[in-house]
Amino acid sequence: MTAPTPSLLVVSAHAGDFVWRAGGAIAAAAQRGERVTVVCLSYGERGESASQWLAGKSLDEIKAVRQSEAEAAAAALGADIEFLDLGDYPLVESQESVHRLVDVFRRSHPTEVLTHPLADPYNGDHPAAARMALQARVLAQAIGVANSDGSLPGRDDIIGAPPVFFFEPHQPEQCGFVPNVLLDITDAFDRKRAAMECLPAQKHMWEYYTHLAIRRGVQVKRNAGPNLGLPHETMGEAYMRYFPQVTGELR
Amino acid sequence: MTAPTPSLLVVSAHAGDFVWRAGGAIAAAAQRGERVTVVCLSYGERGESASQWLAGKSLDEIKAVRQSEAEAAAAALGADIEFLDLGDYPLVESQESVHRLVDVFRRSHPTEVLTHPLADPYNGDHPAAARMALQARVLAQAIGVANSDGSLPGRDDIIGAPPVFFFEPHQPEQCGFVPNVLLDITDAFDRKRAAMECLPAQKHMWEYYTHLAIRRGVQVKRNAGPNLGLPHETMGEAYMRYFPQVTGELR
Amino acid sequence: MTAPTPSLLVVSAHAGDFVWRAGGAIAAAAQRGERVTVVCLSYGERGESASQWLAGKSLDEIKAVRQSEAEAAAAALGADIEFLDLGDYPLVESQESVHRLVDVFRRSHPTEVLTHPLADPYNGDHPAAARMALQARVLAQAIGVANSDGSLPGRDDIIGAPPVFFFEPHQPEQCGFVPNVLLDITDAFDRKRAAMECLPAQKHMWEYYTHLAIRRGVQVKRNAGPNLGLPHETMGEAYMRYFPQVTGELR
Amino acid sequence: MTAPTPSLLVVSAHAGDFVWRAGGAIAAAAQRGERVTVVCLSYGERGESASQWLAGKSLDEIKAVRQSEAEAAAAALGADIEFLDLGDYPLVESQESVHRLVDVFRRSHPTEVLTHPLADPYNGDHPAAARMALQARVLAQAIGVANSDGSLPGRDDIIGAPPVFFFEPHQPEQCGFVPNVLLDITDAFDRKRAAMECLPAQKHMWEYYTHLAIRRGVQVKRNAGPNLGLPHETMGEAYMRYFPQVTGELR
Amino acid sequence: MTAPTPSLLVVSAHAGDFVWRAGGAIAAAAQRGERVTVVCLSYGERGESASQWLAGKSLDEIKAVRQSEAEAAAAALGADIEFLDLGDYPLVESQESVHRLVDVFRRSHPTEVLTHPLADPYNGDHPAAARMALQARVLAQAIGVANSDGSLPGRDDIIGAPPVFFFEPHQPEQCGFVPNVLLDITDAFDRKRAAMECLPAQKHMWEYYTHLAIRRGVQVKRNAGPNLGLPHETMGEAYMRYFPQVTGELR
Amino acid sequence: MTAPTPSLLVVSAHAGDFVWRAGGAIAAAAQRGERVTVVCLSYGERGESASQWLAGKSLDEIKAVRQSEAEAAAAALGADIEFLDLGDYPLVESQESVHRLVDVFRRSHPTEVLTHPLADPYNGDHPAAARMALQARVLAQAIGVANSDGSLPGRDDIIGAPPVFFFEPHQPEQCGFVPNVLLDITDAFDRKRAAMECLPAQKHMWEYYTHLAIRRGVQVKRNAGPNLGLPHETMGEAYMRYFPQVTGELR
């Protein structure tokens, strides 16, 4: 047997979520030469584009702006990106949508999956995205489940059981988000910052998420212990692993 | 900076606990050439030696039997072992005992710590051992906390912040034990079985814990996914990581 | 800036729920001169009208009786009331229904929202009502989300982020209902009792909910402490605040 | 008043689930002369029949095989069985399906209900089945809720409030499954084993679930205490009671 | 083997707790001819006797009053009672006290144990009593654990693993008290009321706990279902079973 | 009856904790003219003074430095401060210490209490302080509980039931800290910053806690809603209310 080719799949409810919440993990994977696929279920056109609605933009114009910004950010991180355009506020779960996601899983063969956590009292689209991602991941494993065009998958199409990591919501404690993985993103932070700067409408968030990276970086150092000699300026991202870690060594 | 030398510390309430619950992790670490230290807080002389009390053995005789069996099991696993003889049923927490454990932490400089989970409605000694281990781990980090002989530690004596893993209790669901790490112990299982066989009074447990290893091995395979090609006879142990994992890669 | 005009919105799954569970809060707000709007998602015509079905009444007759009783109770409390007639047992969540609720939120501009808690193993309509209320509250905040007639909201139509309080279910401990707000309804209790007496089919509940008000009143006194000098006959209602309280003083 | 006639209803997501997870309870009830009805919501034709898909079988062929195996297993346990053929992977919840289940509840008048627990990160069909079973149980109690053919139920058609027991999922700790009932199935185990052997495609599970019965049997003995004198070979099944137990004696 | 003789042991932090919270269960057991032993760890002399302190009574006088009232209440329920006089506010846990409780367990050989739940933010003595009761129960099972006079127990002295039921605290939701057993005490309620009336200083509690019995009785009926034909005036008490129920039948 | 005089009591495990975690609440209360009493159970001399130990300072020297810094910070906030000097790492709970705290409660007659949350895997002194504060609060309410000098309290000495708020630990999600109160400290922040600057050894924390105040301020705005018109630079602190809020109005 050979180890599977690393492939990171990121399922994002809206066009910008992946940047603020998982930009470090994405950039780090890309820097290691791994393939990263971001799939945006919607553009966030209704719920996260207030200033553009106030400016009188049309729905299609708003979507177009959001898409091009997200594409720029993905490029800055080194990731591929695609859009399912399922609509937001609310992001409605449907079997058809889930099957389109099944196709994405079978096409990208992820070895790791990132998505939103399962609770968010402030934004129902986030847990809806997580539920769809988790359901698609299970369906994509079954050889008896057809692709979205009705064809049956071949033996190589079906996927394994990739670990799933929830990225950090805006108000973590209100979402039952208890980090059990702290990711050191020090080397990837410059790219994350560059990606954030591709989203000019949320300029006030650039500093906010830089401070959050410092804060999570302090926790990286605390939990690693002083003996590991991490640098003062360690930057971090927090994740919540959903399935048990499988390992050959306790570390 | 250089990575610290691997050193596994196992804090066990009674003389036999480490064998059934963590024998695989211990043997695997020893097989990799790492140092393993088992510290037994008591011999389990009152609470886990019913047959010997019924046979009319004295307290000292019972302790001696338990000690020699545990030493044989530790040897079979490749671990050092020591005994604090704090008494069991109940294992009473005291500041003096905790400070003796602080010494053990500073002497062994663990890079990983294994102990019991914090709840067990069936045996209060197990959570007491966990509380002492966790408290000693924190105290051993502080340069202002004296050793048990009253001397102040040197800069190299104080320890880092090693991760802590709780091993599996007898009735996991009743103890709030939700595994978040599944350890593949396939290659180490023969040594674990040999160590179990050093405990002849509990012969009925040999099969029981062999079946548990098969069961946890099935879960290793389920959570790893078919693509990893794990063998049919994968053996496993379940652990619960107490502090967030610190890592440079999401895997 | 000026403080928003107080406006209490109560989302009730069935026609009678708001009386038993939130009658005190409603009457107290009305007594303070505040506007109160009760919206009943259904009449409780199938699940809570057994005696009328047994008496051979038709569906329309049952709805009419339930409506007139609820209107009388609302009047006794000093509240406006409206009915969405979505059907009960089960109360089916749909996007259309949620958008009708969005209209209610935008029309009433609530400063506080009361509804059912999110779990109830005895009656699935209650959590369904809560989910719809919570979703509508978020959608009503977004300027990009259209009204139910397809028109876009104006800037003054969109609402803020009013706090949400869950009122007490019939078997609180089975519903994960842990009160974190105890409301003193002593001065409003007479009106609550009068409203209960508008529901003659459930006469046995009048005493039941009077005793519950005494019980929660005892807890009001316990948690306030003797120094506040609350009267012996303090009456109370229990609530569970869903979002963090925002305040300028810790009290 | 007379005690109701014992009647056990088992709601199973797929054709095989009831055998592995509740075979002991089913056989024990049948041995006591009680009526047992198993209702399989799907055949597990897509999600649990990988080997047959790989062998090139058609969907109808796979369903037929699954059905005949499940019928043989039910016969070995002494239970009636029926199939709703709602489809699996995913098992889609719909009001029509729930009303078909309402009919089953009204027809079988269960005094006890067994089904899956409400969470399972590995298989979304299991919690979907549980949600449908729980909703149908409540709807079947209401005289105002019509049968699936639109007719109104008679007074004797409506059911009481039977207790619900969740049976054990494959990875209990990951599903929030904390057993609060341990069932002694020693006398029924032979029939459970015979039923398992009716499912030849999963031969590797026979030993696995035999070992699980031994493991749960050890817990039966532990929690009963040595004074009850249970035999060494006690076999068990674990359940999670969803509603409070109603009793005249604390035992 | 023969079934053990029924014996109910009630561990009460203060002299009055067992009456309000478990009087129905005690009276019902006594009415069935079973032996009931109440052990009061303290008299509640400091924390629950404010009116007597205000009246200028001495510590010894207060203890004497509390003792005679509790003895009268126990007699009204049909129970034996004893007092360990460990002091209250705070009830201090010590190994000596626990060993005195071990003696009680070995003397009374309980088949069921009732005590306080493990959390109570309003009164630390209650969880302290529960912790001591639970620890003593485990120690009393071990033949290697000496009696409080230092003698070793005989084979018949050690106890089994009796189930433990927590009785209802004053503010259940704040104490993590989720009833999983609802006890029908209709036939025993007159004796409970008589016992309550043995405590004249808390006359205002007589009605309060009568209403609570009605409330829990309503829940008995709800969870039993209408088919069981329980009478309108069913009275109840709520309990929380700590260990899994062991049974031969799911009911 | 007259409302009690506002009095805020802050129970801090170590000399600096109150500044970082509750400085805003303290300064705001002082600005309103209310009395604030800070009681430091220890100086943090062993666990939080690493640099001074490394510099060869003696235990007494370290305590003196910590005391004078804490006094300066309290003065900057407008609070009184006292030190119980109970020792840290570990902070040992004892009945004598708790009774000294009872005296503090009776002397300060708090209308609100702030302390650490009940869990902290990184520092056992914090939950120990919380447990002592909570126990002392209950004991101080009882007229039968003597003062630490053995005298009985007078009627005016005993306290009511002041609400308790836990302030934010360093790693909130790991401590079960879910904020349910967000305090607007915008107007008090300058004083909090000034108090932080009284602690020169932890200069790197000044920015860290300024950023945290910004972050919690963003959450104040999010949960208040845009309609309240809070300024862009709103600063916040997060708290966790331990007992239910008692109120006459739902807000």
Side-chain angles (χ1 to χ4, degrees):
Chain A
M1 134 195 110
T2 53
T5 307
S7 169
L8 177 64
L9 176 63
V10 185
V11 181
S12 180
H14 310 112
D17 296 337
F18 70 95
V19 182
W20 314 109
R21 296 152 193 242
I26 294 169
Q31 280 176 310
R32 289 192 302 267
E34 300 174 15
R35 181 179 173 198
V36 185
T37 307
V38 176
V39 56
C40 294
L41 303 188
S42 81
Y43 296 102
E45 60 269 24
R46 295 194 180 278
E48 306 196 336
S49 307
S51 60
Q52 295 173 68
W53 287 101
L54 288 170
K57 294 277 178 61
S58 73
L59 182 61
D60 284 345
E61 287 170 323
I62 294 171
K63 285 183 179 182
V65 169
R66 300 276 296 179
Q67 175 170 346
S68 68
E69 287 178 1
E71 286 170 342
L77 296 171
D80 296 333
I81 189 165
E82 55 187 289
F83 303 88
L84 296 195
D85 193 13
L86 304 178
D88 78 327
Y89 260 57
L91 176 58
V92 180
E93 297 165 81
S94 74
Q95 283 315 306
E96 193 207 331
S97 300
V98 168
H99 276 88
R100 288 179 60 198
L101 258 184
V102 168
D103 291 349
V104 175
F105 273 85
R106 286 181 172 163
R107 214 188 313 123
S108 63
H109 263 256
T111 50
E112 290 87 24
V113 178
L114 309 187
T115 192
H116 299 265
L118 283 164
D120 190 337
Y122 298 94
N123 193 320
D125 293 359
H126 296 158
R131 287 191 298 263
M132 280 193 273
L134 291 171
Q135 191 180 22
R137 172 185 168 278
V138 168
L139 297 188
Q141 296 171 18
I143 197 157
V145 172
N147 300 316
S148 71
D149 65 2
S151 65
L152 277 179
R155 198 161 188 162
D156 290 346
D157 293 329
I158 62 169
I159 68 163
V164 176
F165 299 88
F166 299 142
F167 42 65
E168 179 167 353
H170 200 76
Q171 299 194 52
E173 299 98 341
Q174 309 304 323
C175 301
F177 183 80
V178 180
N180 53 22
V181 181
L182 294 168
L183 182 70
D184 184 337
I185 61 163
T186 309
D187 294 340
F189 186 74
D190 284 350
R191 294 201 187 187
K192 177 170 185 174
R193 177 78 193 206
M196 292 198 286
E197 295 184 5
C198 296
L199 307 175
Q202 288 133 303
K203 192 169 182 176
H204 60 289
M205 307 266 274
W206 302 352
E207 281 309 284
Y208 185 84
Y209 275 95
T210 299
H211 290 151
L212 181 60
I214 292 170
R215 179 175 165 79
R216 293 302 186 189
V218 169
Q219 295 178 359
V220 166
K221 286 184 286 181
R222 285 261 173 140
N223 285 280
N227 295 15
L228 289 196
L230 291 170
H232 178 62
E233 65 276 22
T234 299
M235 307 296 270
E237 276 177 350
Y239 290 89
M240 192 168 168
R241 186 192 286 276
Y242 187 52
F243 295 98
Q245 178 188 10
V246 173
T247 183
E249 297 189 19
L250 296 180
R251 289 282 178 248
Chain B
M1 129 194 118
T2 53
T5 309
S7 170
L8 177 63
L9 176 62
V10 185
V11 180
S12 180
H14 309 112
D17 296 338
F18 69 96
V19 181
W20 313 109
R21 295 152 194 241
I26 295 169
Q31 279 176 311
R32 289 192 303 266
E34 300 175 16
R35 181 178 172 200
V36 185
T37 307
V38 175
V39 55
C40 294
L41 302 188
S42 80
Y43 296 102
E45 60 268 24
R46 295 193 179 278
E48 306 196 336
S49 307
S51 61
Q52 295 174 67
W53 287 101
L54 288 169
K57 293 277 177 59
S58 74
L59 182 62
D60 284 345
E61 287 170 322
I62 294 172
K63 285 183 178 182
V65 168
R66 301 277 294 181
Q67 176 170 344
S68 67
E69 287 178 1
E71 287 170 342
L77 295 170
D80 296 333
I81 189 165
E82 54 187 289
F83 302 88
L84 295 196
D85 194 13
L86 304 177
D88 77 327
Y89 259 57
L91 175 58
V92 180
E93 296 165 83
S94 74
Q95 283 315 306
E96 192 207 330
S97 300
V98 168
H99 276 88
R100 289 178 60 196
L101 257 183
V102 169
D103 292 349
V104 174
F105 272 85
R106 287 180 172 163
R107 213 187 313 123
S108 62
H109 263 255
T111 50
E112 290 87 25
V113 178
L114 310 187
T115 191
H116 300 265
L118 283 164
D120 190 337
Y122 299 94
N123 193 319
D125 293 358
H126 297 158
R131 287 191 299 262
M132 281 193 273
L134 291 171
Q135 191 181 21
R137 172 185 168 279
V138 169
L139 297 187
Q141 296 171 18
I143 197 158
V145 172
N147 300 317
S148 71
D149 65 2
S151 64
L152 278 178
R155 198 159 188 163
D156 289 347
D157 293 330
I158 62 170
I159 68 163
V164 176
F165 300 88
F166 299 142
F167 42 65
E168 179 167 354
H170 200 76
Q171 298 195 53
E173 297 99 342
Q174 309 303 322
C175 301
F177 183 81
V178 179
N180 53 21
V181 181
L182 293 168
L183 182 69
D184 184 336
I185 61 163
T186 308
D187 295 339
F189 186 74
D190 285 350
R191 292 201 188 188
K192 177 170 184 174
R193 176 79 193 206
M196 293 198 286
E197 295 184 4
C198 296
L199 307 176
Q202 288 133 304
K203 193 168 182 176
H204 60 289
M205 306 266 273
W206 302 353
E207 281 310 284
Y208 186 85
Y209 274 95
T210 298
H211 289 150
L212 181 60
I214 292 170
R215 178 175 165 79
R216 293 302 185 189
V218 169
Q219 295 178 359
V220 166
K221 286 183 287 182
R222 285 262 174 139
N223 285 281
N227 295 13
L228 290 197
L230 291 171
H232 178 62
E233 66 277 21
T234 299
M235 308 295 270
E237 275 177 349
Y239 289 89
M240 192 168 169
R241 186 192 286 276
Y242 186 53
F243 295 98
Q245 177 188 10
V246 173
T247 181
E249 298 189 19
L250 296 179
R251 290 282 177 245
Chain C
M1 130 195 118
T2 53
T5 307
S7 170
L8 178 63
L9 177 62
V10 185
V11 180
S12 180
H14 310 110
D17 296 337
F18 69 96
V19 182
W20 313 110
R21 296 151 195 243
I26 294 169
Q31 280 176 310
R32 288 193 304 265
E34 299 175 16
R35 181 179 173 199
V36 185
T37 307
V38 175
V39 56
C40 295
L41 304 188
S42 80
Y43 296 101
E45 60 269 23
R46 295 193 180 277
E48 306 196 337
S49 307
S51 60
Q52 296 174 67
W53 286 103
L54 288 170
K57 294 275 178 58
S58 74
L59 181 61
D60 285 345
E61 287 170 321
I62 293 172
K63 284 183 178 182
V65 169
R66 300 275 298 179
Q67 175 169 346
S68 67
E69 287 178 1
E71 286 170 342
L77 295 171
D80 296 333
I81 189 165
E82 54 187 289
F83 302 89
L84 296 196
D85 194 13
L86 304 178
D88 77 327
Y89 261 57
L91 175 58
V92 179
E93 297 166 82
S94 74
Q95 282 316 304
E96 192 207 332
S97 300
V98 168
H99 276 88
R100 289 178 61 197
L101 258 183
V102 168
D103 291 349
V104 175
F105 272 85
R106 287 181 171 163
R107 213 187 314 124
S108 62
H109 263 256
T111 50
E112 291 86 24
V113 178
L114 309 187
T115 191
H116 299 265
L118 283 164
D120 190 336
Y122 299 94
N123 192 319
D125 291 0
H126 296 158
R131 286 190 299 262
M132 279 192 274
L134 291 171
Q135 191 180 20
R137 172 185 169 278
V138 169
L139 297 188
Q141 296 171 18
I143 198 157
V145 171
N147 300 317
S148 70
D149 65 2
S151 65
L152 276 179
R155 197 159 187 163
D156 290 346
D157 293 330
I158 63 168
I159 67 162
V164 176
F165 300 88
F166 298 142
F167 42 64
E168 180 167 352
H170 200 76
Q171 299 194 51
E173 299 98 341
Q174 309 304 323
C175 301
F177 183 80
V178 179
N180 54 21
V181 181
L182 293 168
L183 182 70
D184 185 336
I185 61 162
T186 309
D187 294 340
F189 186 74
D190 284 350
R191 293 200 188 188
K192 177 169 184 175
R193 176 78 193 208
M196 293 197 287
E197 296 184 4
C198 297
L199 307 175
Q202 288 133 304
K203 193 169 182 176
H204 62 288
M205 307 267 274
W206 302 353
E207 281 310 283
Y208 185 85
Y209 274 96
T210 299
H211 290 151
L212 181 59
I214 293 170
R215 179 176 165 78
R216 292 302 185 189
V218 169
Q219 295 177 359
V220 166
K221 287 184 286 181
R222 285 263 173 137
N223 285 281
N227 295 14
L228 289 196
L230 291 172
H232 178 61
E233 65 277 25
T234 299
M235 308 295 271
E237 276 177 351
Y239 290 90
M240 192 168 168
R241 187 192 285 278
Y242 187 52
F243 295 98
Q245 178 189 9
V246 173
T247 183
E249 297 188 19
L250 296 179
R251 290 281 177 247
Chain D
M1 136 195 115
T2 53
T5 307
S7 169
L8 178 64
L9 176 63
V10 185
V11 180
S12 180
H14 310 112
D17 296 337
F18 69 96
V19 181
W20 314 109
R21 295 151 195 242
I26 295 169
Q31 280 176 309
R32 289 193 303 268
E34 301 175 14
R35 182 179 171 197
V36 185
T37 307
V38 175
V39 55
C40 295
L41 303 188
S42 80
Y43 296 102
E45 60 269 24
R46 294 194 181 278
E48 306 194 338
S49 307
S51 60
Q52 296 174 66
W53 287 102
L54 289 169
K57 293 276 177 61
S58 74
L59 182 61
D60 284 343
E61 288 170 322
I62 293 172
K63 285 183 179 184
V65 168
R66 301 276 296 179
Q67 176 169 345
S68 67
E69 287 177 1
E71 287 171 340
L77 295 171
D80 296 333
I81 189 165
E82 55 187 289
F83 303 88
L84 295 196
D85 194 13
L86 304 177
D88 77 326
Y89 260 56
L91 175 58
V92 179
E93 297 166 82
S94 74
Q95 283 315 306
E96 192 207 331
S97 300
V98 168
H99 277 87
R100 289 178 62 197
L101 257 184
V102 168
D103 291 349
V104 175
F105 273 84
R106 288 180 171 163
R107 212 186 316 123
S108 62
H109 264 255
T111 50
E112 290 86 26
V113 178
L114 310 187
T115 191
H116 299 265
L118 283 163
D120 190 337
Y122 299 93
N123 193 319
D125 292 359
H126 296 158
R131 286 190 300 262
M132 279 193 272
L134 291 171
Q135 192 180 19
R137 172 186 168 278
V138 169
L139 296 187
Q141 296 171 19
I143 197 157
V145 172
N147 300 316
S148 71
D149 65 2
S151 64
L152 277 178
R155 198 158 186 163
D156 290 346
D157 293 330
I158 63 169
I159 67 163
V164 176
F165 300 88
F166 299 141
F167 41 65
E168 180 166 352
H170 200 77
Q171 299 195 51
E173 298 98 343
Q174 310 303 324
C175 301
F177 183 81
V178 179
N180 53 21
V181 181
L182 294 168
L183 181 70
D184 184 336
I185 61 163
T186 309
D187 295 339
F189 186 74
D190 284 351
R191 291 201 189 188
K192 176 170 184 174
R193 176 78 192 207
M196 293 197 286
E197 295 184 4
C198 297
L199 307 175
Q202 288 132 304
K203 192 170 183 177
H204 60 290
M205 305 267 274
W206 301 352
E207 280 310 283
Y208 185 85
Y209 274 95
T210 299
H211 289 151
L212 181 59
I214 293 170
R215 178 176 165 79
R216 292 303 186 188
V218 169
Q219 294 178 359
V220 166
K221 287 184 285 180
R222 285 261 174 139
N223 285 281
N227 296 14
L228 289 196
L230 291 171
H232 178 62
E233 66 276 23
T234 299
M235 308 295 270
E237 276 177 351
Y239 290 90
M240 192 168 170
R241 186 193 285 276
Y242 186 52
F243 294 98
Q245 178 188 10
V246 173
T247 182
E249 297 188 18
L250 296 179
R251 291 281 178 246
Chain E
M1 126 193 121
T2 54
T5 308
S7 169
L8 178 63
L9 177 63
V10 184
V11 181
S12 181
H14 309 112
D17 296 337
F18 69 95
V19 182
W20 313 109
R21 296 151 194 244
I26 294 169
Q31 280 176 309
R32 288 192 303 266
E34 300 175 15
R35 181 178 173 200
V36 184
T37 306
V38 175
V39 56
C40 295
L41 303 188
S42 80
Y43 296 102
E45 60 269 25
R46 294 193 181 277
E48 306 196 337
S49 306
S51 60
Q52 295 175 67
W53 287 102
L54 288 170
K57 293 278 177 58
S58 73
L59 182 62
D60 284 345
E61 287 170 322
I62 293 171
K63 285 183 178 181
V65 168
R66 302 275 295 181
Q67 176 169 346
S68 67
E69 287 178 1
E71 286 171 342
L77 295 171
D80 297 333
I81 190 166
E82 55 187 288
F83 302 88
L84 295 197
D85 194 13
L86 304 178
D88 78 326
Y89 260 55
L91 175 59
V92 179
E93 296 166 82
S94 73
Q95 282 317 304
E96 192 206 332
S97 300
V98 168
H99 276 88
R100 288 178 61 197
L101 258 183
V102 168
D103 292 350
V104 175
F105 273 85
R106 287 180 172 164
R107 211 185 319 122
S108 62
H109 262 257
T111 49
E112 290 86 24
V113 178
L114 309 187
T115 191
H116 299 265
L118 283 164
D120 190 337
Y122 298 94
N123 193 318
D125 293 359
H126 296 158
R131 287 191 298 263
M132 280 192 272
L134 291 171
Q135 191 181 20
R137 173 185 167 279
V138 169
L139 296 188
Q141 295 172 20
I143 198 158
V145 172
N147 300 317
S148 71
D149 65 2
S151 64
L152 277 179
R155 197 159 187 163
D156 290 346
D157 293 330
I158 63 168
I159 68 163
V164 176
F165 300 88
F166 298 142
F167 41 64
E168 180 167 351
H170 200 76
Q171 298 195 51
E173 298 99 341
Q174 309 304 324
C175 301
F177 183 80
V178 179
N180 53 22
V181 181
L182 293 168
L183 182 70
D184 184 336
I185 61 162
T186 308
D187 295 339
F189 185 74
D190 284 349
R191 293 201 187 188
K192 177 170 184 175
R193 176 77 193 206
M196 292 197 286
E197 295 185 4
C198 296
L199 307 175
Q202 288 133 304
K203 192 169 181 176
H204 60 289
M205 307 266 274
W206 302 353
E207 282 309 283
Y208 185 86
Y209 275 97
T210 299
H211 290 151
L212 181 59
I214 293 170
R215 180 176 164 79
R216 293 302 185 188
V218 169
Q219 295 177 359
V220 166
K221 287 184 286 182
R222 285 262 173 138
N223 286 281
N227 295 13
L228 289 197
L230 291 171
H232 178 61
E233 65 277 22
T234 299
M235 308 295 271
E237 276 177 350
Y239 291 89
M240 192 168 168
R241 186 192 285 278
Y242 187 52
F243 295 98
Q245 178 188 11
V246 173
T247 183
E249 297 189 19
L250 296 179
R251 288 282 177 246
Chain F
M1 128 195 121
T2 53
T5 308
S7 170
L8 178 63
L9 177 62
V10 185
V11 181
S12 180
H14 310 111
D17 296 338
F18 69 95
V19 181
W20 314 110
R21 296 152 194 242
I26 294 170
Q31 280 175 309
R32 289 191 303 266
E34 300 175 13
R35 182 179 172 199
V36 185
T37 307
V38 175
V39 55
C40 294
L41 303 188
S42 80
Y43 295 102
E45 60 268 24
R46 294 194 181 278
E48 306 194 339
S49 307
S51 61
Q52 295 174 66
W53 287 102
L54 288 170
K57 292 278 176 59
S58 73
L59 182 61
D60 285 344
E61 288 170 321
I62 294 171
K63 285 183 178 182
V65 168
R66 302 276 294 181
Q67 176 169 345
S68 67
E69 288 177 0
E71 286 170 341
L77 295 170
D80 297 332
I81 189 166
E82 54 188 291
F83 302 88
L84 295 197
D85 193 14
L86 304 178
D88 78 326
Y89 260 56
L91 176 58
V92 179
E93 297 165 83
S94 73
Q95 282 316 305
E96 192 206 332
S97 301
V98 169
H99 276 87
R100 289 178 61 196
L101 258 184
V102 168
D103 291 349
V104 175
F105 273 85
R106 287 180 171 164
R107 211 186 317 123
S108 61
H109 263 257
T111 49
E112 290 87 24
V113 178
L114 309 187
T115 191
H116 299 265
L118 283 163
D120 190 337
Y122 298 94
N123 192 319
D125 292 359
H126 295 158
R131 286 190 300 262
M132 279 193 272
L134 291 171
Q135 191 181 20
R137 173 186 168 277
V138 169
L139 296 187
Q141 296 171 20
I143 197 157
V145 171
N147 300 316
S148 72
D149 65 2
S151 64
L152 277 178
R155 197 158 186 163
D156 290 346
D157 293 329
I158 62 169
I159 67 162
V164 176
F165 299 88
F166 299 141
F167 42 64
E168 179 166 352
H170 200 77
Q171 298 195 52
E173 298 99 342
Q174 309 304 324
C175 302
F177 183 81
V178 179
N180 53 21
V181 181
L182 294 168
L183 182 69
D184 184 336
I185 60 163
T186 309
D187 294 339
F189 185 74
D190 285 349
R191 293 200 188 189
K192 177 170 183 173
R193 176 77 193 208
M196 293 197 287
E197 295 183 4
C198 296
L199 307 175
Q202 286 133 305
K203 193 169 182 177
H204 60 290
M205 307 267 273
W206 302 353
E207 281 310 284
Y208 186 85
Y209 274 96
T210 299
H211 289 150
L212 181 59
I214 293 170
R215 178 174 165 79
R216 293 302 186 188
V218 169
Q219 295 177 359
V220 166
K221 286 183 288 180
R222 286 261 173 139
N223 285 281
N227 294 14
L228 289 196
L230 291 171
H232 178 61
E233 65 278 22
T234 299
M235 308 295 270
E237 277 177 350
Y239 291 89
M240 191 168 169
R241 187 192 284 277
Y242 187 52
F243 295 98
Q245 178 188 10
V246 173
T247 182
E249 297 189 19
L250 296 179
R251 289 281 177 247

